[in-house]
Amino acid sequence: MQNIYQHGGRNFWIHNTGPLGCLPQKLATFDKKSRDFDQYGCLKALNDAAKQFNDQLRLLCEELRSELKNSTIVYVDMFSIKYDLIANATTYGFESSLMACCGYGGQPYNYNPNITCSRAGYNVCEKGSKYISWDGVHYTEAANDVVASKILSTNYSTPQIKFDYFCNN
């Protein structure tokens, strides 16, 4: 980032990583036992690794804020946004929080690494707007709509700066 700063970059919006242990791709491909899951069906170890990464990224952003005085560095907590979406899927109108809409294999994750979305044999759900995951990795348009509005609310940002600040500076 300091290289970008030396070339004139002054405003940075940094997103942390989401709950990797909740992705259908990871859930379908890792060997697991019942004790490996949290209360929402996500893999604890992968989410713990994501949290550790995010803690270090947050600290780095704090450090850079103090070093790069003439810059704006906004840290956005994507993990909390996306985990809340999965934990409260029905509240947001979703029927399936951990199953891919486009994929192969049906319940519980509809994900097969050999027959992914866009390869021969895949199927697509009828109501994509009721799913959080599109293809086991990416979110559906409906889920991204929820995520985007939470990002733009600035409730998950440190510091809480509105996005239009970056358009005007």
Side-chain angles (χ1 to χ4, degrees):
M1 183 178 306
Q2 288 184 344
N3 191 28
I4 294 169
Y5 184 81
Q6 291 168 348
H7 287 92
R10 293 293 180 267
N11 298 319
F12 304 93
W13 191 333
I14 315 254
H15 290 200
N16 69 11
T17 194
L20 303 174
C22 301
L23 295 174
Q25 175 205 45
K26 303 298 183 202
L27 290 162
T29 55
F30 277 73
D31 289 331
K32 55 215 164 275
K33 297 179 174 56
S34 62
R35 69 178 179 269
D36 296 334
F37 295 99
D38 68 13
Q39 67 214 38
Y40 303 110
C42 301
L43 291 167
K44 291 187 279 190
L46 288 177
N47 281 350
D48 288 346
K51 288 177 193 176
Q52 288 178 3
F53 171 84
N54 292 341
D55 285 342
Q56 293 301 309
L57 182 61
R58 181 185 48 76
L59 292 172
L60 177 62
C61 288
E62 290 173 11
E63 181 181 316
L64 288 171
R65 266 189 225 107
S66 67
E67 287 178 20
L68 307 175
K69 296 290 185 195
N70 297 324
S71 67
T72 303
I73 300 169
V74 177
Y75 173 83
V76 182
D77 188 0
M78 296 299 289
F79 186 97
S80 293
I81 292 171
K82 290 182 173 183
Y83 194 73
D84 174 66
L85 182 61
I86 290 161
N88 299 296
T90 55
T91 304
Y92 293 104
F94 295 102
E95 294 174 1
S96 185
S97 61
L98 301 176
M99 188 168 150
C101 173
C102 183
Y104 181 80
Q107 294 284 345
Y109 309 118
N110 198 39
Y111 185 87
N112 179 318
N114 299 315
I115 307 173
T116 58
C117 194
S118 80
R119 288 197 181 166
Y122 75 93
N123 57 55
V124 178
C125 64
E126 289 183 26
K127 296 188 254 178
S129 64
K130 296 296 180 184
Y131 286 71
I132 291 174
S133 179
W134 170 247
D135 60 0
V137 177
H138 303 97
Y139 279 34
T140 62
E141 184 176 344
N144 277 323
D145 185 50
V146 173
V147 169
S149 35
K150 286 180 173 280
I151 291 170
L152 293 173
S153 78
T154 73
N155 293 334
Y156 297 86
S157 298
T158 305
Q160 291 187 322
I161 295 174
K162 295 284 186 192
F163 183 74
D164 63 357
Y165 170 87
F166 293 94
C167 300
N168 300 322
N169 284 314

